[in-house]
Amino acid sequence: SFALQATFPPPSRTSSSRMAAIVALAPLLALLPAISGASVGEAHCGSSSGEECSHATAPGDDELGLLQRARLVAHSGLPEDGSPEADTSGDDFGDRTFRNAAAILRRNIGWIPLAGQAKSDSECRMESDEDCPLRKMAPGNVTDVVPGPRYGTACLNSSSPYYFQVRRRASDKLLLYFQGGGACWNNRSYHENLCTQSTVPGDLSGILNATDLQNPYLDYTLVHVLFCSGDMHSGNTTQPWGPDGEEVQIRGYNNANSAVQWSLRQFKSLSHVVFAGCSAGSLGVQMWSELIQQEFRGRTEKFTTFADSFAGVLYPPSLVQPAQAFLYDVWGICGLPLLNGAENELCLSGKLLLQEHFLLAMKDSEESEFAMINSKHDVVQIEFARAFIATAMHSIEGATMTAAEYYKYWNLEVQKYVKVDNFDVYAVDGLHHCFTPMQIVYTTTPQGKDGGGNGIILSDWMTGVASGEAARFVCEGPLKEVTADGPAFLNPRYCDQAIAEAVD
């Protein structure tokens, strides 16, 4: 193992001092394994919060982040003294950063259920509101529901018609699940296929599994909202990303809304609604939570929301608002029913934050339970953030965000959420991305996707969230004080003291 202890200047430091620190680390980082080299052992940390850790981890963890940062600096045209004078607009730096991030993403997004399509049992075309009623679907069978033209649904790939899936089970229990599948925010990300552009349902595993007796939602009717729009299920516009500038359809809002409206027509009285999604689906859950809560209010005795493996962490803090405004504009979100009047004004003025919108849903629905599931060093979230900031915001700081910085700002985000009593969080050691649509939901503990330790298994914790009996903060590791002006601790195996105190 290789012992390394380092902290970076807090965000309040100047860019020049930060870049000087980055360049100064380059000779040290050269001693670490190359990205393409053999992986090294996992970190081993003591129980004391002050004890240093031997920190050498697999690709995608903090050493990889630091190594990428040093390599990016070395090859981006930055002056040798580390001053931030390099041109980053439409340039070699952005290109290198994007290609590096895209390559890592392709190696790590095997979680996206694209390997084998789930075979549906039937197809139904919904030309009117009376079409495709749940009562006529065979129990246990999967039906592909194809909305008619009146719903305005579409995929980025115009040759792929949009549809959502329904598996009929109990008539009083609903699992509404938003599929993941990346993001596209410009011509480059679209042509590099960083988002799913066709409807591909994949295997129904994890909490979507229809036969596993471990599944707490085995007898729930499943509405599987597929994703092919690159816009966190929330956009409604077009962009000239096709051949010769041809307009492509970004219709995530219409697609998801067709499934939501169908569900509202079928379910008038429910004992429980579970609203969940992973990755892009997690962001969609956060954006849709306020509207979904309003739509189902008075129809269900209990409502539970799970945002799995995408929290929307961007870096540096000064770019979070303009970066989100960029996405809302590209995806055409402002003005949609997802936002209330005041929020739409904020959106149009470039001041809307997804995190504040999600927090509003929690506050407006105190009777409901909200939860977040996240790996401490989620490699997919980190690389998407790097690629996006490099090509949309042209920021060296953001494009070279370390995994330690990612985890720090994730904790700062969660600190705001736990101030409301109906929010719970489950933090997992490691870099894995997405849990709920995979069988590892039944093995994951706070120590990792393969289990270990004495921590509660993720699927059992999810059951407790719905009943209001779950631990509000599940995390293993020494407590550390995480503040905006404090360091980004190099070792990821810690838990945020402020979060722990807030739920105590």
Side-chain angles (χ1 to χ4, degrees):
S1 63
F2 184 81
L4 178 64
Q5 188 73 22
T7 56
F8 286 98
S12 57
R13 301 279 185 90
T14 64
S15 294
S16 59
S17 65
R18 177 183 173 82
M19 296 312 303
I22 295 169
V23 173
L25 276 174
L28 179 64
L29 293 168
L31 299 175
L32 295 174
I35 292 175
S36 60
S39 62
V40 291
E42 289 192 350
H44 299 282
C45 302
S47 59
S48 170
S49 61
E51 183 176 337
E52 292 186 5
C53 297
S54 173
H55 190 75
T57 53
D61 208 339
D62 206 63
E63 274 76 334
L64 175 55
L66 292 173
L67 180 57
Q68 287 176 328
R69 168 169 280 163
R71 290 177 63 174
L72 282 168
V73 168
H75 295 291
S76 65
L78 278 172
E80 291 184 2
D81 64 359
S83 59
E85 302 299 330
D87 175 22
T88 63
S89 56
D91 58 354
D92 185 56
F93 170 81
D95 181 68
R96 288 177 183 272
T97 303
F98 183 92
R99 284 190 283 113
N100 185 55
I104 293 173
L105 284 168
R106 292 191 186 97
R107 292 201 300 270
N108 285 278
I109 57 175
W111 64 268
I112 297 178
L114 302 180
Q117 285 202 33
K119 294 181 179 179
S120 59
D121 299 290
S122 61
E123 178 182 286
C124 182
R125 295 192 171 273
M126 192 168 64
E127 301 297 338
S128 71
D129 290 349
E130 288 70 39
D131 292 336
C132 308
L134 180 66
R135 68 180 184 277
K136 291 188 177 181
M137 296 179 183
N141 284 2
V142 175
T143 301
D144 294 341
V145 179
V146 184
R150 62 197 294 264
Y151 292 94
T153 59
C155 290
L156 287 169
N157 177 3
S158 60
S159 65
S160 175
Y162 181 77
Y163 61 92
F164 60 90
Q165 294 184 302
V166 178
R167 183 178 63 226
R168 180 185 172 190
R169 286 288 172 86
S171 61
D172 68 330
K173 299 175 184 177
L174 171 64
L175 171 57
L176 181 64
Y177 196 89
F178 277 20
Q179 185 186 41
C184 288
W185 59 88
N186 58 15
N187 189 72
R188 178 76 181 275
S189 57
Y190 170 79
H191 285 282
E192 292 280 352
N193 295 307
L194 290 193
C195 62
T196 305
Q197 299 176 20
S198 303
T199 43
V200 185
D203 292 326
L204 298 178
S205 299
I207 66 171
L208 310 181
N209 189 293
T211 58
D212 195 326
L213 296 179
Q214 299 177 92
N215 185 358
Y217 313 116
L218 189 65
D219 63 338
Y220 285 52
T221 291
L222 169 66
V223 176
H224 191 205
V225 183
L226 302 184
F227 183 59
C228 60
S229 50
D231 60 355
M232 66 181 189
H233 293 270
S234 303
N236 190 30
T237 190
T238 62
Q239 290 293 345
W241 297 341
D244 300 320
E246 177 185 335
E247 296 285 328
V248 297
Q249 301 289 316
I250 298 176
R251 303 298 179 191
Y253 170 77
N254 290 347
N255 296 347
N257 191 49
S258 68
V260 170
Q261 294 304 316
W262 178 89
S263 300
L264 289 168
R265 291 193 294 272
Q266 311 308 313
F267 300 98
K268 303 300 183 181
S269 179
L270 291 153
S271 61
H272 192 198
V273 174
V274 176
F275 181 34
C278 86
S279 196
S282 172
L283 293 173
V285 162
Q286 293 165 62
M287 181 57 78
W288 273 84
S289 279
E290 175 73 351
L291 182 59
I292 290 285
Q293 294 281 339
Q294 293 173 6
E295 296 279 27
F296 279 92
R297 190 162 288 139
R299 294 173 182 253
T300 183
E301 299 173 12
K302 186 166 53 175
F303 199 110
T304 310
T305 297
F306 293 102
D308 174 12
S309 298
F310 222 111
V313 173
L314 297 171
Y315 186 83
S318 61
L319 289 181
V320 172
Q321 194 170 80
Q324 290 197 23
F326 175 94
L327 291 174
Y328 300 148
D329 181 60
V330 168
W331 293 335
I333 290 176
C334 299
L336 293 177
L338 295 169
L339 308 174
N340 63 33
E343 287 181 316
N344 269 311
E345 290 183 10
L346 288 173
C347 190
L348 291 168
S349 63
K351 297 178 181 178
L352 178 71
L353 290 175
L354 175 63
Q355 290 77 13
E356 295 297 327
H357 176 69
F358 191 34
L359 190 58
L360 176 66
M362 300 176 207
K363 292 178 178 178
D364 283 353
S365 302
E366 295 180 353
E367 73 284 359
S368 300
E369 294 293 329
F370 295 78
M372 182 171 282
I373 302 160
N374 217 80
S375 288
K376 294 177 180 178
H377 277 192
D378 185 323
V379 66
V380 172
Q381 292 189 59
I382 291 167
E383 293 303 337
F384 262 114
R386 287 173 177 162
F388 167 62
I389 291 295
T391 57
M393 297 289 104
H394 311 297
S395 165
I396 293 175
E397 253 189 312
T400 57
M401 174 184 69
T402 66
E405 287 163 340
Y406 162 80
Y407 185 45
K408 168 186 172 175
Y409 285 93
W410 179 81
N411 278 305
L412 291 174
E413 189 175 301
V414 173
Q415 285 179 18
K416 299 176 183 177
Y417 295 153
V418 294
K419 291 179 180 178
V420 296
D421 293 335
N422 55 338
F423 177 82
D424 307 327
V425 60
Y426 192 104
V428 184
D429 284 352
L431 49 79
H432 192 74
H433 186 66
C434 278
F435 298 89
T436 53
M438 303 179 69
Q439 290 302 108
I440 58 169
V441 72
Y442 306 117
T443 60
T444 294
T445 68
Q447 289 195 351
K449 64 183 179 64
D450 298 318
N454 298 316
I456 185 171
I457 291 175
L458 177 55
S459 58
D460 294 337
W461 177 80
M462 292 177 68
T463 301
V465 169
S467 64
E469 299 174 354
R472 291 197 57 210
F473 180 35
V474 177
C475 182
E476 288 191 8
L479 292 177
K480 290 186 179 291
E481 184 179 2
V482 180
T483 64
D485 293 332
F489 299 109
L490 177 63
N491 192 288
R493 295 173 185 268
Y494 69 87
C495 302
D496 187 327
Q497 182 173 331
I499 297 174
E501 291 175 350
V503 303
D504 190 6

